[in-house]
């Protein structure tokens, strides 16, 4: 019983890890960022490239990936997203285009493969990430064997969620972000630099995706398409949880993870996935705004 | 003004034939007219991970043949197309090659889905398709030459060996949820029964899914003593990692795989696979001068000193030579000539001697079992003494004395009886 709950918890934490950044860019800013999965991919490749070229370890890649994807997110906001605020469908298309650009940049090694130049760590193939030996295997807690890597993911996710909560609810910037979420024009009228705050928020959301990428690279496969499937799961969590609600995202990730793990244990993984999607449809029909939502003014 | 569609067609038809006339005479006059072949693999999309290497191996074989004088003195001209990891695109590109470019022989495909998508094109227009990948069998086309392994060539020595040498009796069969793993599982079950072993579960995970938590937990609690894996693609990496992360080791509970190749081992890191087994006709580690030279040539051809070779890649390479020999035997390169010429054709490939079965156009290959080592290479622990006959319908009771697929096509009556 314990192992089923633990796997459910782990599934939930992985969902939340990817969804956390989306909860901010989509939830707070109203931008459907289709390139979010590619930010995860860039984070994973940061681990690969960092290991190959800078010889830095897995853990040291966490802050590096945060900075790199954060800068990339900041640039995307500056160049693309900024021009499209309030045009939901246009941001969807534009960021989808960005996603394809990023994927192909990695696959074609920034175009260098056309000239016969090969960069180690890029290209269409599968990449290897070295995980520290102490993170593989199991640790015994109270007589139950616990998967160390999954435990680590749960801890990182919990820490990131806490930091995000602090930022959003206990800092000056957080107050400004929440003001913009409720009503950007009124916030601007009160003297908040909406453009600056939006750029920072987008960069932070992307940075979180980069950290998620590092964590994913340690137990999933690193290749250029890896992010596209994750972004679907991420949106699912945010929509079920209620757009703009951090608590909602946390609870919906936990719920979907437990349902997935539980059904998979009783039947099989394929059915579990179907049940999860069925549940998501049901929730959206009954509560179209998600489990937790607030009224915008 | 009476230029309607029909007269326009007629006029252009006459125009085309007059244009073609001098070309026709020219062709018989010039000896070094290139022979055109199609090369159709995914160079973009998810499957390009593997298919790019198959395309490279095909191009390498063509380059080598051209360097040594071509086919009957004629150089090969490859028309390279991109299947884009999408069966529909595969079908369009195959039509373009066969109908548009009038090419008779195409080398291509990795997945069964893409092969099934192009099959109607080749059968309707009677062109030949050379397919280099191990697959599930259950196909008997006079327009395809299959140079990869079929289930009996991967499993018929694997299961008995696991039971007898490793002493394992209870299997957990796991695979990706599509036709190849499911057909492989059928053959596994037949062989397990024959060898006095049983299976405790037969489970599947969606293709491309990499969340193995629940499945590995089930394996852990199932009481099995060996895992037979038909898991495919990028899921393989996540599977082996989760396996170790949940505290399972290959020493006590080995994963015995039919798809895990050098590519996946390199991607997951060999430490996750050390001690596990894979069955394939070809491994990069085959210790012969011919194979070592092949690996060297391939690495310099793709300009990557760390590139790995694997089973489907080797088949992609040698099947071009089989085609060359067939054309030279028949003296021409038409579909009939290639089909009849390739029957019984033999070649010393990097992995050993291969022969095309004169009946079903599949290939005799030598099954081998390798145990993965810390350097990411397989150590060959068992090899069949000779190449064995391909039996694409083995899951339905086909044996070497009772063939379902022959020169005359599939014997449907035998299949119904099974």
């Amino acid at each position: 019983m314990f192992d089923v709950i633990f796997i459910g918890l782990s599934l939930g934490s992985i969902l939340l890890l990817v969804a956390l950044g989306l909860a901010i860019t989509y939830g707070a800013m109203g931008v459907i960022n289709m390139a979010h999965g590619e930010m995860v991919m860039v984070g994973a490749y940061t681990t690969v490239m960092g290991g190959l070229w800078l010889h830095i370890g897995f853990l040291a890649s966490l802050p590096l990936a945060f900075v790199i994807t954060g800068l990339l997110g900041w640039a995307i906001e500056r160049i693309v997203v900024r021009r499209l605020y309030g045009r939901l469908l246009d941001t969807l298309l534009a960021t989808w285009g960005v996603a394809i650009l990023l994927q192909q940049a990695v696959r074609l090694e920034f175009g260098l493969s056309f000239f016969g130049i090969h960069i180690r760590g890029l290209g269409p193939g599968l990449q290897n990430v070295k995980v520290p030996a102490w993170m593989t295997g199991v640790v015994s807690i109270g007589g139950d064997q616990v998967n160390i890597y999954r435990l680590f993911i749960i801890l990182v996710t919990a820490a990131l969620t806490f930091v995000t909560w602090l930022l959003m609810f206990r800092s000056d910037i957080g107050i400004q972000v929440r003001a913009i979420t409720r009503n950007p024009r009124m916030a601007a009228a009160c003297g908040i630099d909406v453009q600056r705050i939006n750029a920072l928020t987008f960069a932070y959301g992307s940075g979180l995706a980069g950290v998620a990428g590092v964590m994913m690279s340690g137990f999933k496969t690193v290749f250029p398409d890896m992010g596209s499937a994750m972004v679907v799961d991420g949106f699912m969590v945010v929509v079920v949880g209620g757009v703009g609600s951090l608590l909602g995202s946390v609870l919906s990730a936990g719920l979907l993870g437990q349902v997935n793990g539980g059904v998979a244990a009783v039947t099989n993984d394929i059915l579990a996935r179907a049940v999860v999607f069925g549940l998501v449809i049901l929730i959206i029909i009954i509560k179209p705004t998600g489990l937790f939502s607030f009224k915008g003014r | 003004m009476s230029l309607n569609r029909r007269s326009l067609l007629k006029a252009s038809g006459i125009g085309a034939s007059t244009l073609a006339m001098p070309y026709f005479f020219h062709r018989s006059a010039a000896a070094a007219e290139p022979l055109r072949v199609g090369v159709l693999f995914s160079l973009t999309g998810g499957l390009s991970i593997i298919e790019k290497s198959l395309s490279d191996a095909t191009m390498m074989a063509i380059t080598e043949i051209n360097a040594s004088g071509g086919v009957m003195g004629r150089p090969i001209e490859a028309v390279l197309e991109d299947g884009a990891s999408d069966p529909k695109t595969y079908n369009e590109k195959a039509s373009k090659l066969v109908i548009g470019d009038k090419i008779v022989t195409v080398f291509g495909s990795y997945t069964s889905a893409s092969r099934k998508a192009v099959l109607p094109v080749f059968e309707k227009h009677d062109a030949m398709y050379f397919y280099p990948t191990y697959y599930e069998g259950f196909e008997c086309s006079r327009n395809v030459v299959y140079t990869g392994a079929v289930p009996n060539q991967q499993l018929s020595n694997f299961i008995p060996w696991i039971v007898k040498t490793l002493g394992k009796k209870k299997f957990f069969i796991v695979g990706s949820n599509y036709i190849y793993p499911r057909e492989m599982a059928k053959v596994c079950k037949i062989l397990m029964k024959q060898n006095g072993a049983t299976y405790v579960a037969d489970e599947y995970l969606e293709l491309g899914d990499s969340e193995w938590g629940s499945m590995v937990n089930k394996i852990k609690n199932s009481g099995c003593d060996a895992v037979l894996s038909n898991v495919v693609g990028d899921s393989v990496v996540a599977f082996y990692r989760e396996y170790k992360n949940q505290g399972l080791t290959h020493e006590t509970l080995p994963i015995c795989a039919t798809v895990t190749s050098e590519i996946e081992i390199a991607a997951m890191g060999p430490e996750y696979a050390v001690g596990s087994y894979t069955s394939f006709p070809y491994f990069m580690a085959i210790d012969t001068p011919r194979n070592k030279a092949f690996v060297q040539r391939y690495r310099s051809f793709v300009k990557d000193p760390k590139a790995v070779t694997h089973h489907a890649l080797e088949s992609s390479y040698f099947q071009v030579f089989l085609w060359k020999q067939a054309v030279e035997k028949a003296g021409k390169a038409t579909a009939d000539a290639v089909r009849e010429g390739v029957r019984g054709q033999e070649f010393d490939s990097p992995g050993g001697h291969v022969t095309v079965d004169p009946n079903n156009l599949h290939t005799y290959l030598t099954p081998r079992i390798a145990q993965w080592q810390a350097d990411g290479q397989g150590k060959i622990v068992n090899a069949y003494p000779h190449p064995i006959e391909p039996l694409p319908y083995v899951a339905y009771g086909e044996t070497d004395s009772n063939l379902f697929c022959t020169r005359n096509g599939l014997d449907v009556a035998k299949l119904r009886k099974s």
Side-chain angles (χ1 to χ4, degrees):
Chain A
M1 193 61 211
F2 170 80
D3 43 11
V4 175
I5 293 172
F6 179 78
I7 285 169
L9 193 62
S10 163
L11 294 177
S13 72
I14 291 165
L15 282 175
L16 182 61
L17 192 59
V18 177
L20 208 53
L22 273 181
I24 291 171
T25 51
Y26 179 39
M29 300 169 67
V31 173
I32 296 187
N33 182 13
M34 294 298 282
H36 191 76
E38 275 54 44
M39 293 295 172
V40 177
M41 186 266 291
V42 169
Y45 272 89
T46 307
T47 329
V48 174
M49 301 294 277
L52 280 175
W53 297 94
L54 306 173
H55 303 289
I56 58 169
F58 183 77
L59 292 179
S61 304
L62 286 170
L64 184 67
F66 181 83
V67 171
I68 287 179
T69 49
L71 286 175
L72 192 59
W74 182 79
I76 291 172
E77 202 275 344
R78 269 295 165 93
I79 298 165
V80 181
V81 177
R82 169 159 302 184
R83 295 158 210 281
L84 301 169
Y85 280 122
R87 292 155 63 186
L88 198 65
L89 288 177
D90 293 346
T91 60
L92 187 149
L93 276 178
T95 52
W96 191 23
V98 171
I100 294 170
L101 281 175
L102 287 173
Q103 265 187 33
Q104 290 298 339
V106 171
R107 188 174 285 128
L108 301 173
E109 303 166 44
F110 299 106
L112 290 175
S113 63
F114 290 125
F115 306 104
I117 302 169
H118 179 68
I119 304 174
R120 260 195 320 143
L122 293 178
L126 307 174
Q127 303 297 337
N128 167 245
V129 168
K130 281 250 174 293
V131 178
W134 62 266
M135 275 165 75
T136 63
V138 288
V139 61
S140 234
I141 298 177
D144 284 302
Q145 289 193 320
V146 176
N147 182 331
I148 298 173
Y149 198 89
R150 287 185 183 267
L151 188 65
F152 188 67
I153 293 183
I154 293 172
L155 293 178
V156 168
T157 308
L160 286 179
T161 311
F162 182 67
V163 169
T164 306
W165 177 80
L166 277 184
L167 263 178
M168 296 293 277
F169 295 94
R170 290 288 178 272
S171 77
D172 285 351
I173 285 186
I175 291 174
Q176 298 179 25
V177 172
R178 284 183 291 141
I180 294 169
T181 310
R182 299 277 162 142
N183 191 330
R185 285 183 172 199
M186 187 60 85
C190 296
I192 294 172
D193 186 347
V194 176
Q195 291 205 335
R196 180 175 150 267
I197 297 293
N198 272 343
L200 281 178
T201 316
F202 202 86
Y204 180 69
S206 303
L208 288 179
V211 175
V214 178
M215 299 309 299
M216 294 299 157
S217 72
F219 82 133
K220 296 203 172 183
T221 320
V222 181
F223 62 108
D225 288 354
M226 67 182 286
S228 9
M230 292 180 194
V231 76
V232 176
D233 287 356
F235 275 115
M236 199 167 75
V237 169
V238 175
V239 169
V240 167
V243 176
S245 165
L246 191 60
L247 180 70
S249 293
V250 173
L251 290 177
S252 89
L255 174 74
L256 296 179
Q258 289 299 348
V259 169
N260 194 341
V263 177
V266 180
T267 59
N268 62 52
D269 284 280
I270 296 166
L271 197 61
R273 193 121 180 99
V275 170
V276 166
F277 280 120
L279 185 70
V280 169
I281 294 172
L282 202 67
I283 291 174
I284 295 176
I285 290 174
I286 296 169
K287 286 195 70 126
T289 50
L291 294 174
F292 293 81
S293 57
F294 58 85
K295 285 202 178 75
R297 282 176 207 110
Chain B
M1 284 308 287
S2 64
L3 191 68
N4 59 25
R5 190 181 286 166
R6 183 167 296 169
S7 65
L8 183 69
L9 272 177
K10 212 184 274 173
S12 61
I14 294 165
S17 54
T18 40
L19 275 175
M21 208 106 72
Y23 173 74
F24 179 75
F25 289 120
H26 171 76
R27 190 194 236 166
S28 53
E33 170 82 20
L35 261 176
R36 295 213 295 169
V37 297
V39 178
L40 177 56
F41 292 100
S42 301
L43 305 175
T44 55
L47 290 164
S48 63
I49 295 163
I50 290 174
E51 296 197 25
K52 177 77 171 60
S53 70
L54 306 186
S55 178
D56 286 340
T58 309
M59 293 310 288
M60 176 170 130
I62 290 172
T63 312
E64 287 181 6
I65 292 172
N66 282 343
S68 60
V71 181
M72 301 184 299
R74 292 167 68 180
I76 308 172
E77 185 190 322
V79 180
L80 199 62
E81 289 292 342
D82 177 10
S85 308
D86 170 34
K88 205 169 138 269
T89 311
Y90 256 100
N91 181 288
E92 285 161 10
K93 298 292 170 129
S95 306
K96 184 247 171 198
L97 288 169
V98 173
I99 303 167
D101 297 341
K102 308 233 178 307
I103 285 175
V104 174
T105 305
V106 177
F107 304 97
S109 277
Y110 176 64
T111 62
S112 289
S114 64
R115 187 191 68 254
K116 296 271 188 206
V118 302
L119 206 54
V121 177
F122 286 88
E123 290 188 336
K124 191 174 173 204
H125 300 275
D126 196 24
M128 295 301 288
Y129 199 50
F130 279 70
Y131 176 64
T133 319
Y134 48 92
Y135 83 113
E136 65 280 352
F138 201 69
E139 199 173 284
C140 181
S141 171
R142 59 198 292 276
N143 293 89
V144 183
V145 180
Y146 308 83
T147 59
V150 283
N152 75 308
Q153 293 171 316
Q154 280 189 276
L155 292 169
S156 58
N157 69 328
F158 200 26
I159 305 278
W161 183 84
I162 297 166
V163 174
K164 289 190 186 100
T165 315
L166 299 180
K168 307 293 186 189
K169 295 276 183 217
K170 281 159 84 180
F171 287 85
F172 192 110
I173 307 173
V174 58
S176 303
N177 193 22
Y178 76 108
I179 181 168
Y180 171 78
R182 284 187 180 267
E183 288 289 307
M184 289 296 269
K186 273 186 199 164
V187 184
C188 286
K189 287 172 189 171
I190 294 172
L191 285 163
M192 281 169 194
K193 208 173 163 195
Q194 285 170 4
N195 288 281
T198 54
Y199 65 97
V200 294
D202 179 15
E203 296 258 357
Y204 297 90
L205 198 69
E206 222 154 313
L207 189 61
D209 197 347
S210 52
E211 182 46 67
W212 285 95
S214 304
M215 184 74 85
V216 173
N217 194 44
K218 269 185 205 167
I219 292 175
K220 208 171 167 178
N221 299 329
S222 69
C224 63
D225 55 15
V227 177
L228 202 119
S229 158
N230 300 312
V231 180
V232 177
D234 49 288
S235 316
V236 173
V237 175
F239 177 41
Y240 280 66
R241 288 193 161 177
E242 182 68 27
Y243 203 76
K244 189 176 179 190
N245 283 346
Q246 289 208 14
L248 298 172
T249 67
H250 300 296
E251 279 160 32
T252 49
L253 188 60
I255 296 181
C256 305
T258 55
V259 188
T260 310
S261 74
E262 285 84 351
I263 289 188
E264 287 89 4
I265 300 290
M268 73 178 78
E271 65 271 23
Y272 290 95
V274 170
S276 66
Y277 302 92
T278 297
S279 171
F280 264 138
Y282 172 86
F283 288 97
M284 189 172 165
I286 289 175
D287 196 12
T288 58
R290 183 179 287 118
N291 182 46
K292 283 185 174 160
F294 170 69
V295 173
Q296 279 311 319
R297 289 204 307 278
Y298 177 71
R299 285 179 166 175
S300 66
F301 186 79
V302 297
K303 296 192 189 75
D304 180 359
K306 289 197 167 177
V308 293
T309 58
H310 51 96
H311 171 45
L313 186 152
E314 190 235 9
S315 294
S316 304
Y317 173 79
F318 74 64
Q319 68 178 9
V320 183
F321 288 88
L322 289 173
W323 166 80
K324 169 184 184 270
Q325 291 175 3
V327 171
E328 284 175 344
K329 184 182 166 197
K332 53 187 177 180
T334 61
D336 267 328
V338 171
R339 178 167 40 243
E340 293 313 313
V342 84
R343 291 186 197 277
Q345 211 48 256
E346 300 182 30
F347 184 69
D348 279 314
S349 77
H353 198 72
V354 296
T355 312
V356 178
D357 188 300
N359 283 309
N360 57 24
L361 294 180
H362 287 61
T363 309
Y364 277 73
L365 299 164
T366 312
R368 291 185 172 90
I369 301 167
Q371 186 175 33
W372 296 103
Q373 307 292 310
D375 62 354
Q377 290 295 327
K379 181 183 154 207
I380 291 154
V381 290
N382 182 274
Y384 224 70
H386 53 83
I388 65 170
E389 185 171 8
L391 299 171
Y393 288 86
V394 74
Y396 302 88
E398 189 181 37
T399 59
D400 44 8
S401 55
N402 180 23
L403 292 179
F404 286 21
C405 179
T406 61
R407 242 170 239 269
N408 307 322
L410 178 63
D411 191 337
V412 184
K414 286 181 183 172
L415 191 61
R416 284 220 186 93
K417 240 187 290 171
S418 67

